[in-house]
């Protein structure tokens, strides 16, 4: 080794931090190619008694240097924390698995029991995961609490290997009576996509001890998000969920919202840049109303959320005593919408918690038809192995309580009911007589599309003729009472679907829209005045109607009556 190199290394090592069981070579920028280049570093490791943490990040290790360091670690049985991020800059990708394997073998030989392993910012790809696979399965990782693999380029293949290793680690540790209790998992920027996410979801569901999950920027769309949501439900101690910059769309957001209903310890939710959109935001607002008691931070930035939906979210955080930050920047509020949101937060004495709205995208352009390119693109992306994926999705949908297709009740309905629903008429409604009560049984709070369709069909028959008016209002009351008495999540999903069908909210997919008639609005006006129609349900409807009054112009008089009834309900004190 040249004398200049030795002098440079000695100078760098003089900056080594020693103390509290930690030996740190962090950020020294050492280029460690071979055994000779690490002689002093190895000596420091060997001479450190009671070594519990080793920091090597910010240096670059070749294969021979890694082997020499590994040899020094073979008798460090007290080592618990390995901070080995950014450790292979400038190295060939083929070198990294060998170097990692050497270090892992040394840890296994030593009998060390790790609690933290950080290999972030090492672009090792799927082969690099193979380099740590045996370590992750071994007793050295049975005690692992934090695993950090951010920005490692694992890809789908690496995600699958990692998932299987974690499952095997849990299996073996459980057999020894002390199951793996991983608390923190970080794997952002790894191109995991749906398949990698699904594989890891299986591992998360089995582990069940996670407190923080960070998986931003992984190219995951709704299919992978639904699998992850299902897994999150099995981790009741979750505090932090960070899925920033993946593509939820409506289906993924509804699945995540359903999962959050079961989690009482969540403090931070980061769904920024996830294309949550307005329907998803409404579902999350419902969860805020009925759960998440200690939530501190909510990030729904850059999600194509409109002004009315943002206001619904703002209203939902009103009673959150621990809330510190709400980020709705980069959405589609428009200048007036931003001002309305700020005013709403200030009126609740929560203006300080609202993040800047400086990157707002402006109000969305009015479009008559759906713009579903991105959603349809998701379907195309998920089409690989479609039959297998569909079966898996069905299981996830079932577990999350999201109904697909006809409900059993609807299939077993009397012929008269089915005849009415297929072609509604006043005559058929009146002929139903007592069977009209069966119409409320047709609606399932878990199937908002069918529920909204049934309600609007019945309400479209309204007239001022006494017998007809009584029959229609009694039936719509029964239907709405059932739907709005369900959980906040289900009732909000129903109302958002109703708003889409009424053209007051832009939705996703090929959802049926109706041409409104005054009778439908008059039925809602009547319903709003009833006890079963709560103030927060009225507030949701009022927020959208007041911001989209143009959609009701064909029913101007009825629309004004409905708006007036909603405003009165919202202003009524409990």
């Amino acid at each position: 080794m040249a004398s200049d190199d030795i002098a440079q290394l000695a100078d760098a090592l003089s900056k080594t931090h020693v103390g509290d069981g930690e030996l740190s070579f962090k950020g020294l920028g050492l280029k460690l190619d071979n055994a000779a280049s690490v002689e002093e570093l190895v000596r420091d490791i060997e001479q450190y008694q009671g070594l519990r943490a080793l920091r090597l990040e910010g240096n670059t290790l070749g294969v021979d240097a890694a082997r020499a360091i590994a040899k020094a670690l073979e008798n460090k049985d007290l080592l618990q924390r390995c901070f080995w991020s950014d450790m292979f800059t400038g190295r060939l990708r083929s070198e990294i698995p060998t170097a990692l394997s050497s270090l892992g073998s040394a840890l296994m030989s030593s009998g060390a029991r790790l609690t933290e392993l950080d290999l972030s910012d090492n672009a090792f790809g799927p082969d690099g995961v193979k380099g740590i696979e045996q370590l992750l399965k071994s007793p050295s990782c049975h005690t692992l609490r934090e695993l950090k693999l951010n920005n490692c380029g694992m890809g789908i293949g690496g995600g699958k290997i990692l998932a299987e290793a974690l499952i095997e680690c849990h299996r073996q540790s459980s057999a020894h009576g002390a199951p793996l209790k991983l608390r923190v998992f970080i794997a952002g920027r790894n191109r995991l996509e749906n398949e990698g996410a699904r594989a890891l979801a299986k591992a998360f569901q089995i582990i069940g001890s996670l407190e923080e999950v960070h998986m931003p920027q992984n190219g995951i769309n709704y299919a992978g998000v639904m699998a992850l949501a299902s897994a999150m439900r099995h981790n009741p101690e979750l505090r932090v969920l960070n899925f920033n910059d993946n593509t939820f769309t409506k289906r993924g957001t509804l699945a995540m919202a359903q999962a959050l209903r079961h989690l009482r310890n969540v403090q931070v939710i980061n769904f920024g840049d996830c294309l949550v959109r307005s329907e998803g935001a409404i579902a999350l607002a419902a969860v805020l109303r009925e759960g998440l008691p200690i939530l501190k931070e909510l990030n729904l930035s850059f999600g194509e959320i409109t002004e009315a939906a943002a206001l619904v979210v703002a209203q939902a955080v009103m009673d959150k005593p621990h809330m510190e930050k709400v980020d709705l920047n980069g959405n589609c509020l428009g200048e007036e919408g931003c001002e309305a949101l700020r005013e709403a937060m200030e009126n609740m004495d929560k203006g300080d918690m609202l993040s800047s709205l400086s990157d707002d995208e402006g109000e969305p352009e009015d479009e008559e038809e759906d713009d579903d390119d991105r959603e349809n693109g998701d379907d195309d992306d998920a089409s690989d192995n479609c039959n297998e994926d569909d079966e898996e999705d069905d299981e996830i949908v079932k577990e999350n309580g999201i109904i697909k297709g006809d409900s059993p009740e609807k299939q077993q309905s009397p012929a008269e009911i089915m005849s009415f629903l297929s072609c509604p008429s006043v005559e058929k409604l009146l002929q139903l007589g007592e069977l009209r009560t069966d119409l409320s049984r047709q609606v399932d709070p878990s199937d908002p599309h069918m529920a909204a369709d049934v309600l609007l069909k019945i309400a479209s028959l309204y007239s001022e003729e006494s017998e007809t008016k009584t029959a229609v209002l009694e039936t719509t009351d029964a239907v709405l009472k059932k739907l709005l008495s369900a959980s906040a999540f289900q009732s909000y999903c129903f109302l958002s679907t109703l708003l889409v069908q009424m053209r007051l909210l832009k939705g996703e997919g090929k959802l049926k829209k109706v041409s409104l008639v005054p009778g439908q609005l008059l039925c809602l006006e009547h319903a709003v005045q009833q006890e079963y129609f709560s103030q927060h349900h009225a507030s949701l409807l009022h927020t959208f109607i007041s911001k989209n009054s143009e959609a009701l112009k064909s029913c101007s008089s009825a629309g004004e009556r409905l708006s007036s009834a909603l405003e009165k309900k919202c202003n009524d004190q409990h």
Side-chain angles (χ1 to χ4, degrees):
M1 194 174 186
S3 58
D4 286 349
D5 291 339
I6 294 171
Q8 184 182 3
L9 178 59
D11 179 60
L13 291 175
S14 69
K15 300 183 178 74
T16 299
H17 169 73
V18 179
D20 302 324
E22 179 181 291
L23 182 58
S24 175
F25 303 95
K26 178 180 179 180
L28 298 181
L30 303 174
K31 191 172 187 295
L32 307 170
D33 295 325
N34 49 42
S37 68
V38 292
E39 281 180 0
E40 290 192 44
L41 187 151
V42 165
R43 192 177 306 121
D44 283 347
I45 293 173
E46 289 174 338
Q47 293 176 356
Y48 197 113
Q49 300 301 309
L51 181 64
R52 285 180 167 77
L54 178 61
R55 307 196 79 111
L56 295 173
E57 64 262 58
N59 302 290
T60 175
L61 271 65
V63 171
D64 291 338
R67 284 178 177 146
I69 293 170
K71 186 72 177 171
L73 292 175
E74 285 181 354
N75 65 349
K76 297 300 176 182
D77 62 326
L78 298 178
L79 186 61
Q80 296 177 333
R81 302 161 73 207
C82 297
F83 301 98
W84 295 350
S85 63
D86 189 19
M87 211 167 61
F88 298 107
T89 300
R91 301 294 170 182
L92 294 175
R93 192 156 160 174
S94 58
E95 294 180 82
I96 301 173
T98 306
L100 287 172
S101 182
S102 297
L103 292 166
S105 295
L107 294 173
M108 291 186 280
S109 298
S110 72
R113 294 294 183 266
L114 298 184
T115 59
E116 183 171 358
L117 177 61
D118 186 355
L119 288 167
S120 299
D121 301 315
N122 290 310
F124 49 53
D127 290 340
V129 185
K130 291 178 184 175
I132 59 171
E133 182 180 6
Q134 294 309 312
L135 172 63
L136 290 173
K137 291 178 179 178
S138 76
S140 289
C141 284
H142 288 184
T143 49
L144 198 61
R145 297 294 178 265
E146 300 187 24
L147 179 59
K148 301 175 182 178
L149 296 166
N150 202 57
N151 190 32
C152 290
M154 288 190 287
I156 293 170
K160 288 181 174 180
I161 296 167
L162 174 61
E164 289 301 321
L166 291 173
I167 290 170
E168 181 62 17
C169 180
H170 186 272
R171 188 189 70 78
Q172 290 191 23
S173 59
S174 297
H176 287 91
L180 171 68
K181 292 187 179 298
L182 189 67
R183 290 200 292 257
V184 176
F185 179 84
I186 300 177
R189 299 185 66 191
N190 271 293
R191 303 193 306 276
L192 293 169
E193 301 181 17
N194 285 345
E195 288 186 61
R198 277 181 161 141
L200 285 166
K202 289 178 182 175
F204 297 160
Q205 184 161 326
I206 290 167
I207 292 167
S209 56
L210 290 166
E211 296 179 14
E212 295 187 27
V213 177
H214 302 261
M215 294 176 66
Q217 204 172 342
N218 268 298
I220 305 168
N221 65 37
Y222 75 89
V225 172
M226 287 171 71
L228 289 166
S230 183
M232 295 305 102
R233 291 177 61 167
H234 296 269
N235 290 265
E237 299 306 315
L238 266 172
R239 293 183 293 106
V240 179
L241 268 179
N242 176 9
F243 291 111
N244 190 285
D245 198 8
N246 290 291
T247 307
F248 281 28
T249 58
K250 178 182 172 182
R251 278 177 280 188
T253 310
L254 291 186
M256 274 295 173
Q258 270 283 32
L260 288 168
R261 295 176 65 200
H262 300 268
L263 301 171
R264 308 292 294 176
N265 297 303
V266 175
Q267 297 178 24
V268 177
I269 295 172
N270 185 346
F271 295 163
D273 205 11
C274 284
L275 211 60
V276 164
R277 292 179 172 153
S278 295
E279 286 180 278
I282 292 170
L284 291 169
V287 179
L288 283 167
R289 282 199 175 273
E290 66 180 349
L292 300 172
I294 58 172
L295 188 67
K296 293 181 179 179
E297 295 185 20
L298 177 64
N299 183 347
L300 298 179
S301 60
F302 299 93
E304 294 188 3
I305 298 168
T306 59
E307 175 191 352
L311 289 169
V312 171
V313 172
Q315 291 158 7
V317 303
M318 180 171 57
D319 297 323
K320 294 294 168 197
H322 303 281
M323 189 66 83
E324 297 171 1
K325 181 181 177 183
V326 178
D327 191 347
L328 288 162
N329 194 23
N331 283 297
C332 304
L333 310 186
E335 193 173 328
E336 290 183 8
C338 288
E339 189 54 42
L341 182 60
R342 290 190 196 98
E343 186 178 331
M345 295 294 285
E346 285 167 7
N347 288 344
M348 295 184 289
D349 200 25
K350 294 184 183 293
D352 291 344
M353 73 172 61
L354 182 65
S355 295
S356 166
L357 299 173
S358 59
D359 296 317
D360 187 73
E361 298 283 345
E363 292 183 65
E365 294 179 13
D366 290 329
E367 296 177 15
E368 199 64 33
E369 299 300 324
D370 291 315
D371 176 17
D372 296 314
D373 291 344
R374 194 160 176 183
E375 176 73 0
N376 291 338
D378 294 345
D379 291 340
D380 293 339
D381 293 341
S383 64
D384 297 334
N385 305 314
C386 59
N387 290 336
E388 181 182 330
D389 288 357
D390 285 346
E391 288 174 14
E392 197 165 345
D393 281 348
D394 285 343
E395 287 303 309
I396 294 164
V397 161
K398 201 178 297 178
E399 180 169 354
N400 281 289
I402 305 165
I403 301 295
K404 291 171 81 174
D406 292 341
S407 69
E409 285 187 18
K410 184 174 178 180
Q411 292 167 359
Q412 297 164 11
S413 300
E416 297 93 333
I417 295 286
M418 298 309 297
S419 173
F420 170 78
L421 290 174
S422 64
C423 188
S425 71
V426 172
E427 183 182 8
K428 287 181 181 178
L429 182 67
L430 295 177
Q431 285 175 352
L432 284 175
E434 292 183 1
L435 274 178
R436 282 202 298 272
T437 58
D438 282 5
L439 282 169
S440 65
R441 298 194 187 110
Q442 293 306 295
V443 296
D444 185 335
S446 296
D447 192 347
H449 304 288
M450 179 268 288
D453 188 46
V454 170
L455 177 72
L456 289 172
K457 280 180 176 178
I458 299 166
S460 68
L461 304 176
Y462 178 91
S463 80
E464 291 296 335
E465 193 277 319
S466 178
E467 187 180 9
T468 302
K469 181 177 180 179
T470 300
V472 170
L473 292 180
E474 284 180 354
T475 311
T476 54
D477 275 341
V479 168
L480 279 168
K481 186 173 183 179
K482 179 178 180 180
L483 293 168
L484 299 182
S485 298
S487 67
F489 175 79
Q490 290 177 331
S491 61
Y492 271 47
C493 285
F494 160 69
L495 288 174
S496 68
T497 304
L498 183 65
L499 288 165
V500 171
Q501 293 197 11
M502 294 171 67
R503 301 177 185 268
L504 292 164
L505 168 62
K506 182 180 175 183
E508 290 180 6
K510 302 301 180 186
L511 193 61
K512 177 182 178 182
K513 296 189 181 78
V514 300
S515 296
L516 287 178
V517 294
Q520 292 162 328
L521 304 186
L522 294 174
C523 285
L524 285 173
E525 180 215 5
H526 165 83
V528 167
Q529 299 172 58
Q530 308 310 305
E531 192 174 334
Y532 67 78
F533 211 107
S534 71
Q535 200 171 31
H536 67 93
H537 289 138
S539 177
L540 193 163
L541 281 186
H542 184 253
T543 300
F544 275 88
I545 287 175
S546 64
K547 301 299 176 186
N548 300 280
S549 55
E550 279 293 303
L552 304 182
K553 63 184 179 183
S554 63
C555 311
S556 56
S557 172
E560 289 166 10
R561 285 174 59 177
L562 174 57
S563 294
S564 177
L566 286 166
E567 190 168 356
K568 184 176 186 303
K569 186 81 168 198
C570 292
N571 292 332
D572 284 346
Q573 296 299 313
H574 288 293

